[in-house]
């Protein structure tokens, strides 16, 4: 955490040393072994639902260790399972992490197949003595096209111990990682879903003939781009995006406008607290991806034991619908797809992959973009501050806009028109009470909400298909300094309320409805506590509801629903 009143490295080192007061027995995997009375990493997140069939399992790698910077990038070879060739009903990625007890920072981990990202997340900070373990998994069925042939994979986990620069060369936390893929054959009642025909990652050159995994963007003018010559029979196009805030931008949701740099003493970052990933095709704005306010376990004081923040261990990519541009991309000419981060203050780690659905009945699909009213955001800043030595009041930022993007393609089965109507609403309020002379009082409450509402209408000779999608990921952070009784002299209370939903209708009849809610509460105000509630509703699948809670960094509550009951 980039707190100005005490450097991240200093506070983090104190925190992991202080964790030596905790001890518990080993826990193998948080997803299936939530044990009351322990402090090992645990979430309320569900396992990926599987078909009732025996999968073919391909081990990607076993016991890869990450202790030194020289081990940050490691490769592995993948060969498709010969005993169950595709198409598959489902493909599930699994990884098991462990970290020995000791002292270490939280780190970022990401895994790629042929440079296409299949996992992105961060690690917890270690326990003092016992080995911490955690399990993550992801449904990557949409990436099946990558898995039909042998590929080279890469895992990136930058870590250091004795090779850290002083005084951090005493860090001793080492990560061990195992990963595999489960392939579920399409047989019996388990039919193969329609999946993209091609998966094409965006890549960023490292200047030495390779690529940066992940890509990095350090300023608002930095661009992560790749030029493609795509198949001429593309019918629909999507882009999966992950934008992870790092360094100065780690707590971007609490940043100040630049004209308040003189009093910006808590988080230290500028450019306001509005961030947005922008998708550009051939220089024209084509879509947006909201930046999620992920909270890493290095956010101090460490109120994320044993429950981390929402998606901290496993970021959920945001899928941008670029289908209105399919006709443009089909003309056989090179096209450049680019990403940038609006208001990037330094820096963001990025990954993105194009997902293409092709028209198998045609070699050439023509079409045009008929409408695109998407423009750059223009955040409005409102300041209501009073005083000079003691400054109190509010700083507000708002960015609201509505736009339409539409286009059509002429396919082998007739004309297909796609219209995307989207609304983006961003609002934030920073409420402050600062002693700007001696900095003996620094109270800052952050309330930020970012939501995107989309209605996608697809018309063809079979009728009209309407998909309504809602995305919202608000966060509140209440930072209070000084607090004499607190270990680090300040307290932090946080809430996160991720939600997403989709309602699909065909010719005015509902065909599917899905809703996800992932809520977290955490505070280090004595007594420290945290809780997470995860619910999932699906008209065509089992529902899920799990609640977990902790007190004084020990797991105290696991609801019955966490076991799928």
């Amino acid at each position: 955490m980039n707190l100005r009143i005490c450097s991240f490295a200093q506070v983090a080192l104190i925190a992991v040393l202080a964790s030596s007061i905790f001890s518990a027995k080993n826990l193998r995997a948080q997803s299936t072994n939530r044990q009351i009375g322990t402090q090992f990493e645990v979430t309320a997140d569900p396992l990926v639902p599987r078909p009732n069939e025996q999968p073919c399992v391909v081990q990607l790698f076993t016991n890869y260790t990450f202790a030194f910077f020289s081990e940050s990038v490691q490769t592995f070879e993948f060969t498709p399972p010969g005993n169950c060739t595709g198409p598959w009903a489902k493909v599930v990625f699994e990884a098991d992490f462990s970290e020995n007890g000791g002292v270490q920072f939280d780190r970022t981990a990401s895994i790629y197949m042929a440079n296409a990202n299949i996992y992105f997340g961060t690690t917890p900070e270690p326990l003092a003595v016992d080995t911490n373990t955690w399990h993550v998994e992801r449904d990557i069925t949409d990436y099946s096209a990558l898995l039909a042939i042998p590929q080279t994979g890469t895992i990136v986990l930058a870590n250091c111990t004795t090779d850290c620069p002083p005084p951090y060369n005493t860090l001793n936390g080492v990560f061990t990682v195992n990963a595999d893929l489960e392939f579920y054959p399409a047989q019996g009642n388990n039919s193969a879903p329609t999946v993209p025909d091609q998966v094409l990652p965006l890549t960023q050159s490292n200047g030495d003939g390779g690529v940066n995994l992940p890509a990095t963007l350090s300023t608002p003018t930095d661009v992560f781009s790749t030029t493609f010559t795509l198949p001429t029979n593309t019918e629909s196009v999507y882009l999966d995006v992950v934008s992870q805030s790092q360094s100065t931008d780690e707590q971007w949701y609490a940043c100040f406008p630049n004209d308040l740099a003189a009093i910006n003493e808590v988080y230290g970052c500028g450019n306001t607290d509005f961030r947005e990933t922008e998708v550009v095709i051939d220089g024209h704005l084509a879509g947006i991806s909201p930046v999620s306010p992920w909270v890493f376990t290095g956010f101090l004081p460490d109120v994320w034991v044993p429950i981390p923040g929402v998606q901290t261990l496993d970021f959920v990519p945001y899928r941008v619908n670029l289908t209105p541009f399919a006709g443009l991309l089909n003309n056989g000419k090179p096209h450049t797809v680019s990403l940038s981060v609006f208001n990037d203050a330094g820096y963001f780690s990025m990954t993105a992959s194009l997902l293409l659905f092709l028209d198998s009945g045609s070699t050439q699909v023509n079409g045009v973009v008929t409408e695109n009213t998407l423009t750059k955001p223009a955040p409005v800043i409102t300041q209501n501050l009073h005083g000079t030595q003691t400054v109190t009041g509010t700083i507000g930022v708002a960015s609201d806009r509505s736009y339409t993007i539409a286009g059509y393609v002429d396919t082998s089965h007739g004309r297909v028109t796609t219209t995307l109507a989207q609304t983006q609403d961003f609002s934030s309020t920073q409420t402050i009470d600062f002693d700007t002379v001696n900095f003996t009082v620094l109270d800052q409450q952050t309330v930020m909400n970012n939501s995107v509402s989309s209605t996608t209408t697809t018309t063809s000779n079979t009728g009209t298909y309407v998909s309504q999608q809602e995305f919202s990921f608000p966060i509140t952070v209440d930072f209070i300094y000084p607090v004499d009784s607190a270990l680090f002299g300040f307290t932090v209370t946080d809430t996160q309320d991720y939600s997403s939903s989709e309602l699909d209708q065909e010719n005015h009849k509902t065909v599917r409805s899905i809703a996800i809610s992932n809520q977290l509460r955490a505070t280090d105000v004595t007594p420290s506590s945290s809780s997470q509630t995860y619910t999932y509703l699906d008209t065509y699948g089992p529902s899920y509801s799990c609640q977990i809670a902790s007190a004084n960094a020990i797991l105290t509550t696991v609801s019955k629903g966490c076991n799928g009951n």
Side-chain angles (χ1 to χ4, degrees):
M1 177 182 179
N2 300 295
L3 295 175
R4 291 285 292 278
I5 63 173
C6 186
S7 75
F8 166 65
Q10 292 171 326
V11 177
L13 191 59
I14 293 170
V16 289
L17 290 171
S19 68
S20 62
I21 62 174
F22 303 115
S23 178
K25 295 181 179 180
N26 185 42
L27 181 63
R28 183 176 61 84
Q30 59 87 10
S31 296
T32 55
N33 291 279
R34 303 178 181 97
Q35 297 181 9
I36 292 175
T38 70
Q39 63 158 178
F40 292 89
E41 212 66 15
V42 61
T43 75
D45 299 30
L47 297 172
V48 174
R50 269 93 158 162
N52 293 321
E53 303 287 347
Q54 187 68 27
C56 300
V57 180
V58 176
Q59 195 72 31
L60 298 180
F61 53 84
T62 303
N63 293 331
Y64 274 23
T65 59
F66 298 85
F68 309 110
F69 280 134
S70 60
E71 300 170 334
S72 296
V73 179
Q74 301 185 41
T75 61
F76 55 90
E77 298 303 321
F78 162 77
T79 301
N83 53 339
C84 53
T85 57
W88 301 288
K90 183 165 285 191
V91 182
V92 179
F93 164 81
E94 296 185 309
D96 288 289
F97 293 80
S98 68
E99 182 181 14
N100 60 278
V103 181
Q104 189 54 267
F105 296 129
D106 55 326
R107 305 294 188 180
T108 295
S110 54
I111 299 176
Y112 306 82
M113 192 72 73
N115 295 332
N117 183 261
I118 60 172
Y119 166 74
F120 208 135
T122 65
T123 70
E125 294 193 348
L127 304 179
V129 176
D130 296 297
T131 296
N132 200 2
T133 64
W134 63 101
H135 175 86
V136 296
E137 54 185 50
R138 179 178 292 183
D139 183 347
I140 62 167
T141 310
D142 277 351
Y143 287 65
S144 293
L146 282 177
L147 309 174
I149 61 175
Q151 303 282 12
T152 296
T154 308
I155 175 173
V156 182
L157 203 171
N159 190 37
C160 64
T161 50
T162 56
D163 61 326
C164 292
Y168 307 112
N169 52 353
T170 58
L171 297 175
N172 61 359
V174 177
F175 299 95
T176 302
V177 190
N178 300 273
D180 64 57
L181 294 178
E182 292 183 347
F183 294 85
Y184 290 86
Q187 59 188 30
N189 294 324
N190 301 315
S191 59
T194 301
V195 297
D197 296 284
Q198 292 190 15
V199 178
L200 304 175
L202 274 65
T203 57
Q204 182 184 66
S205 172
N206 63 8
D208 295 320
V211 299
N212 291 322
L213 296 176
T216 59
L217 298 178
S218 298
T219 72
T221 58
D222 285 352
V223 176
F224 171 33
S225 65
T226 301
T227 299
F228 302 93
T229 301
L230 299 177
T232 56
N233 61 336
T234 301
E235 185 170 337
S236 55
V237 189
Y238 299 86
L239 184 71
D240 282 355
V241 178
V242 174
S243 302
Q244 181 204 16
S245 56
Q246 300 267 20
S247 190
T248 301
D249 257 340
E250 184 175 327
Q251 287 86 39
W252 58 269
Y253 41 80
C255 297
F256 278 5
N258 293 332
D259 66 327
L260 297 178
I263 65 170
N264 193 2
E265 287 296 317
V266 178
Y267 299 93
C269 50
N271 291 0
T272 78
D273 57 358
F274 176 75
R275 301 289 184 274
E276 174 182 276
T277 303
E278 298 179 340
V279 182
V280 172
I281 297 177
D282 297 336
H284 299 284
L285 195 58
I288 65 171
S289 174
V291 176
S292 293
W294 293 312
V295 175
F296 315 136
T297 58
F299 184 82
L300 298 171
D302 194 355
V303 295
W304 309 108
V305 179
I307 305 172
V310 171
Q311 300 177 12
T312 294
L313 305 180
D314 186 4
F315 305 153
V316 175
Y318 187 86
R319 181 162 292 181
V320 183
N321 190 344
L322 298 176
T323 299
F325 299 91
L328 168 70
L329 298 171
N330 276 339
N331 61 7
K333 298 179 180 180
H335 296 280
T336 301
V337 180
S338 306
L339 298 179
S340 61
V341 178
F342 186 88
N343 275 350
D344 185 350
Y347 67 97
F348 276 78
S349 293
M350 309 285 294
T351 183
S353 293
L354 281 173
L355 308 179
L356 307 182
F357 292 83
L358 308 182
D359 178 8
S360 61
S362 176
T363 59
Q364 178 68 60
V365 174
N366 297 312
V368 297
V369 179
T370 57
E371 185 176 11
N372 183 2
T373 63
L374 176 60
T375 59
K376 286 273 190 178
V380 176
I381 303 170
T382 304
Q383 297 182 17
N384 185 18
L385 301 177
H386 309 281
T388 53
Q389 176 170 334
T390 299
V391 178
T392 62
T394 60
I395 307 158
V397 178
S399 177
D400 302 331
R401 54 190 167 157
S402 298
Y403 56 90
T404 301
I405 303 175
Y408 68 82
V409 286
D410 290 322
T411 72
S412 61
H413 48 89
R415 175 166 291 186
V416 180
T417 300
T418 301
T419 302
L420 174 67
Q422 196 163 70
T423 300
Q424 176 257 332
D425 294 312
F426 176 93
S427 64
S428 73
T429 302
Q430 310 284 347
T431 303
I432 67 170
D433 181 359
F434 284 2
D435 173 357
T436 62
V437 175
N438 302 308
F439 301 107
T440 55
V441 175
L442 291 170
D443 297 348
Q444 180 174 338
Q445 183 190 62
T446 298
V447 180
M448 187 281 290
N449 182 47
N450 194 13
S451 62
V452 177
S453 177
S454 306
T455 299
T456 303
T457 304
T458 304
T459 58
S460 67
N461 56 17
T462 61
T464 301
Y465 193 94
V466 178
S467 179
Q468 295 176 298
Q469 297 175 318
E470 304 288 338
F471 169 93
S472 179
F473 203 162
I475 186 171
T476 65
V477 183
D478 195 7
F479 177 92
I480 298 178
Y481 172 86
V483 179
D484 293 338
S485 59
L487 179 61
F488 304 109
F490 57 85
T491 60
V492 179
T493 298
D494 303 83
T495 68
Q496 293 175 289
D497 289 281
Y498 172 88
S499 65
S500 66
S501 64
E502 181 173 342
L503 174 64
D504 297 331
Q505 295 179 312
E506 187 171 13
N507 296 326
H508 307 291
K509 181 180 179 181
T510 298
V511 294
R512 191 172 191 186
S513 177
I514 302 172
I516 297 173
S517 174
N518 192 352
Q519 301 177 326
L520 189 129
R521 307 287 183 267
T523 180
D524 64 349
V525 177
T526 304
S528 64
S529 63
S530 62
S531 63
Q532 183 192 7
T533 300
Y534 192 111
T535 59
Y536 175 82
L537 300 174
D538 186 350
T539 54
Y540 285 96
S543 298
Y544 174 86
S545 180
C546 175
Q547 300 87 36
I548 60 176
S550 74
N552 294 315
I554 299 295
L555 187 65
T556 58
T557 303
V558 178
S559 73
K560 183 179 180 181
C562 297
N563 298 319
N565 298 320

